[in-house]
Amino acid sequence: MASSEEALEQLQKLRLSIDNIDNALIHILAERFRLTQSVGELKATYNLPAADPQREAKQIARLREMAQSARLNPDFAEKFLNFIITEVIQHHKAIAEQKDQR
Ligand SMILES: C=C(O[C@@H]1C=C(C(=O)O)C=C[C@H]1O)C(=O)O
């Protein structure tokens, strides 16, 4: 059994690694939203629908498989992707509305 001092040291190390992963997640998410912003502008220009349920179904199936092999809960992976996609669709609707008002 580690002393409480050793345990605190271990906790600090683990938290440092968690912070590094959170940093990477934020950068990856920012890059994804930059790309979906371009998709939103393209869709607004060519009057394409904000949401594409067929594409979403393929992404969810692919992510669920990936989660399974990475030992991540596939239900969580699906919830996480749906959370992001919902936000993206809102952005796409806002971009289309802004274009309509011009
Ligand atoms: C980005 C797109 O728009 C929407 C958002 C998606 C996403 O965030 O991955 C996927 C499908 C669409 O509902 C797209 O059509 O590719």
Side-chain angles (χ1 to χ4, degrees), residues 27-71:
H27 284 287
I28 287 170
L29 270 178
E31 187 58 25
R32 191 184 200 280
F33 274 98
R34 272 191 284 276
L35 293 168
T36 56
Q37 171 79 18
S38 300
V39 172
E41 282 161 14
L42 198 66
K43 285 179 173 179
T45 303
Y46 293 96
N47 289 317
L48 296 168
D52 183 342
Q54 267 189 331
R55 159 88 174 142
E56 291 170 29
K58 278 187 197 159
Q59 285 167 283
I60 286 165
R62 195 176 73 85
L63 241 78
R64 286 190 68 94
E65 262 182 43
M66 224 189 344
Q68 195 110 44
S69 48
R71 294 174 178 225

Side-chain angles (χ1 to χ4, degrees), residues 12-101:
Q12 213 170 13
K13 271 190 198 160
L14 289 168
R15 285 182 172 168
L16 201 65
S17 298
I18 290 168
D19 286 348
N20 284 337
I21 288 174
D22 288 347
N23 292 350
L25 275 176
I26 292 301
H27 284 287
I28 287 170
L29 270 178
E31 187 58 25
R32 191 184 200 280
F33 274 98
R34 272 191 284 276
L35 293 168
T36 56
Q37 171 79 18
S38 300
V39 172
E41 282 161 14
L42 198 66
K43 285 179 173 179
T45 303
Y46 293 96
N47 289 317
L48 296 168
D52 183 342
Q54 267 189 331
R55 159 88 174 142
E56 291 170 29
K58 278 187 197 159
Q59 285 167 283
I60 286 165
R62 195 176 73 85
L63 241 78
R64 286 190 68 94
E65 262 182 43
M66 224 189 344
Q68 195 110 44
S69 48
R71 294 174 178 225
L72 178 72
N73 184 331
D75 291 340
F76 170 74
E78 180 170 346
K79 260 196 274 179
F80 182 65
L81 187 66
N82 273 330
F83 179 71
I84 294 169
I85 290 176
T86 301
E87 183 73 18
V88 170
I89 291 169
Q90 292 305 320
H91 290 187
H92 287 182
K93 285 179 179 165
I95 296 167
E97 274 168 26
Q98 278 168 6
K99 277 233 159 82
D100 282 347
Q101 281 163 11

